[in-house]
Amino acid sequence: IKQRFEHLIDHYAALCLALALVTLSLIGVGDLRTAALVGILLCGAGMAQDFARVDLWILLPLILYALASMASSCMAYGNITDGYGVMHALFPVIYLLMGCLDEKGMRLLRRCCALWTGIMAAMGIGRFVFQAVTTGRTGRMAGPLGNSNAMGIFLVTGWFTLMYCAKEDADRNQTEFLFRLEPVLLIALTLTLSMGSFLAMAMGIGVLLIEKKRTCDPEETFRYACRLLARIVLGTGTGMLIYLAAVRTNVPWICLPLLAYGITTFLYWNTFDRFLSAYPRTAFIMSALGILIAATAVFLRPSAAITFAERFEMMKSGLHYLTESPLFGVGPFRWRLLDMNDGGKYFNTWHIHNIPIHIGVEMGLFAMAMVILIGLRALSKKKKIFLRAGVAAFLFHNLIDTSFFYLGITALTLTAAGEPESGGRKAGGMTVKTVFALFAGLFAYSLYYTIR
């Protein structure tokens, strides 16, 4: 126990990042005071570092995006705190602090990310079942994030991180337990019934299989795909049965035996994976049942098609406002007011369901360009296949939804798949300490401003 404790102390920066992820996951779109306190904590850990290795093609655009967002707030409200700029300044701080970690620290951080995603999934499932049994009334699982779509993509990003830790980490004692969390994530994802998250997951799996095909022959890739999809079918199928029992029957307590079955899959998931490896035909048959799961999900959410059509209308509305104020944007939170009064369809949401367009409308074309540059750079980097697939899923989701503005989701993507050392340049101790000190001053000023 003493040795493990000393090992954790040696990697205090990774633990600070993990603590920040936990905190940011629980405050949704953001709370300035909490974000400022988290930022001060991370900057304090950063100022104790001697060097960092980061990709400047991601770090600098992150900083410039935050500055452009603060400039937009200043033009609209006369201060830098009434907007997203200060809260989103956490992203370059997180990325820079990740660049200070060694290989062991990054491995520990990714394990913490996978573990925390599993805890969030378990919390969501427990609350869903408790509400169904005690009140008889429940709906799509929103989880600790408070939004079903946000919870869905959080679980998708966490699933790719979990798969990386379980399949590519050398420490089998650690990864066997993490691998058992896969059905927990899949059950929770199904309970959200987030069609956008399912599409993002499919996009990520497509990237995963393309990358797999480059290193393996077609037959091995096909067997791998069947085994992967068979596990997904069992996990999502169990979640679908729990949802149907809790929501579509008059005896919601019947979901308790199904929950017990879900717990059994958690206990014997490694055995099930070995079974699929030994019997590839069974894996193929189970993977084909995914069509039935997808059809059931569409049946349970017939309004999904209408919702997607509205999102394209929303994007069209946003494109109309891109030229209103191309340099600084119309200001944070102001698109909704413009949408309310322009005489067209009112969408009753704070964000356009396309992140580049929304940022271009509210924060200006420069901020929009920085976000696009970050996305393209992250997607082009040669990552491990699961991390690359997770980035693809996150980026795709932000073209049809608003997960970027949830601090915990973006922080999870950065900490799990950021890989600042890949293609990075080394920065000396004085430079690193200066940057962290400047950000610490920004967070301290923002905290003082909000308290005053």
Side-chain angles (χ1 to χ4, degrees):
I1 295 176
K2 181 180 178 181
Q3 289 178 347
R4 288 182 177 273
F5 182 75
E6 291 176 349
H7 173 73
L8 293 176
I9 293 298
D10 289 338
H11 299 288
Y12 66 92
L15 293 180
C16 286
L17 285 167
L19 177 61
L21 173 62
V22 172
T23 305
L24 298 178
S25 300
L26 300 177
I27 62 175
V29 176
D31 171 74
L32 184 56
R33 293 188 184 187
T34 305
L37 288 172
V38 170
I40 292 172
L41 168 69
L42 295 179
C43 289
M47 283 188 284
Q49 307 302 315
D50 295 327
F51 70 93
R53 183 173 294 277
V54 291
D55 186 350
L56 296 180
W57 285 100
I58 290 183
L59 178 63
L60 292 180
L62 280 172
I63 294 174
L64 293 175
Y65 160 72
L67 292 175
S69 182
M70 285 185 275
S72 176
S73 299
C74 189
M75 294 297 295
Y77 303 108
N79 62 77
I80 63 173
T81 58
D82 290 337
Y84 303 105
V86 176
M87 291 188 292
H88 289 185
L90 283 170
F91 301 150
V93 169
I94 291 173
Y95 191 75
L96 181 58
L97 186 57
M98 287 172 58
C100 302
L101 303 180
D102 58 13
E103 184 178 351
K104 292 182 179 179
M106 285 300 303
R107 189 183 304 121
L108 173 63
L109 178 59
R110 290 196 180 102
R111 289 175 184 172
C112 290
C113 291
L115 180 61
W116 174 241
T117 309
I119 293 173
M120 290 274 282
M123 291 167 59
I125 295 171
R127 183 177 180 182
F128 177 88
V129 173
F130 178 79
Q131 287 181 339
V133 173
T134 57
T135 67
R137 298 186 305 274
T138 189
R140 296 169 57 199
M141 189 195 81
L145 286 176
N147 181 282
S148 299
N149 294 331
M151 188 67 186
I153 189 58
F154 183 87
L155 294 170
V156 169
T157 305
W159 179 77
F160 283 107
T161 307
L162 181 71
M163 290 297 96
Y164 169 80
C165 294
K167 295 299 183 180
E168 300 190 27
D169 199 325
D171 191 343
R172 303 309 304 171
N173 294 328
Q174 298 286 341
T175 57
E176 283 188 3
F177 172 77
L178 290 177
F179 185 57
R180 291 179 180 177
L181 292 175
E182 184 182 16
V184 181
L185 267 65
L186 294 174
I187 291 171
L189 174 61
T190 307
L191 295 179
T192 65
L193 280 184
S194 173
M195 297 296 105
S197 299
F198 280 120
L199 285 176
M201 186 177 186
M203 178 65 67
I205 291 174
V207 172
L208 176 66
L209 296 180
I210 291 173
E211 293 291 325
K212 189 73 175 178
K213 188 179 179 181
R214 292 178 179 176
T215 57
C216 303
D217 59 80
E219 182 179 355
E220 184 180 351
T221 302
F222 179 74
R223 290 185 177 182
Y224 174 83
C226 290
R227 195 161 66 247
L228 177 68
L229 294 176
R231 296 202 312 268
I232 293 174
V233 165
L234 181 59
T236 56
T238 304
M240 193 67 70
L241 291 175
I242 293 174
Y243 183 88
L244 289 171
V247 178
R248 295 301 180 97
T249 69
N250 294 323
V251 281
W253 59 266
I254 202 69
C255 67
L256 291 175
L258 295 170
L259 177 63
Y261 177 77
I263 295 174
T264 304
T265 62
F266 163 77
L267 296 174
Y268 293 97
W269 196 248
N270 291 293
T271 304
F272 175 65
D273 186 51
R274 291 193 292 270
F275 170 79
L276 294 175
S277 299
Y279 298 94
R281 291 184 179 180
T282 304
F284 171 73
I285 295 173
M286 289 191 64
S287 64
L289 294 176
I291 299 175
L292 179 61
I293 301 296
T296 304
V298 173
F299 173 78
L300 291 175
R301 282 206 65 199
S303 62
I306 300 175
T307 302
F308 276 111
E310 287 184 347
R311 294 182 184 188
F312 286 109
E313 293 181 51
M314 197 184 309
M315 296 175 200
K316 184 178 179 180
S317 171
L319 290 172
H320 171 72
Y321 290 109
L322 280 177
T323 56
E324 286 285 320
S325 180
L327 185 57
F328 296 104
V330 298
F333 314 119
R334 288 192 170 181
W335 169 78
R336 180 173 181 171
L337 300 177
L338 294 173
D339 176 55
M340 187 185 302
N341 297 294
D342 64 5
K345 184 175 181 179
Y346 175 54
F347 297 100
N348 194 26
T349 180
W350 284 102
H351 302 102
I352 300 170
H353 283 52
N354 181 292
I355 291 303
I357 294 177
H358 181 87
I359 290 176
V361 170
E362 290 199 341
M363 305 172 204
L365 296 181
F366 179 77
M368 177 182 178
M370 292 300 100
V371 170
I372 293 175
L373 177 61
I374 293 166
L376 293 176
R377 177 62 175 175
L379 197 59
S380 65
K381 294 177 70 171
K382 295 181 179 180
K383 303 173 180 294
K384 301 291 186 179
I385 56 175
F386 283 106
L387 301 182
R388 185 184 180 91
V391 170
F394 174 76
L395 294 178
F396 174 80
H397 192 265
N398 279 287
L399 297 178
I400 58 173
D401 215 304
T402 64
S403 51
F404 175 79
F405 284 101
Y406 283 81
L407 297 180
I409 300 175
T410 304
L412 174 63
T413 306
L414 276 175
T415 52
E419 288 196 310
E421 72 282 0
S422 176
R425 297 180 60 181
K426 186 175 180 180
M430 183 60 65
T431 301
V432 172
K433 295 177 190 297
T434 302
V435 173
F436 278 121
L438 291 174
F439 275 107
L442 171 66
F443 293 127
Y445 165 77
S446 302
L447 182 63
Y448 167 76
Y449 184 88
T450 56
I451 294 175
R452 185 190 67 178

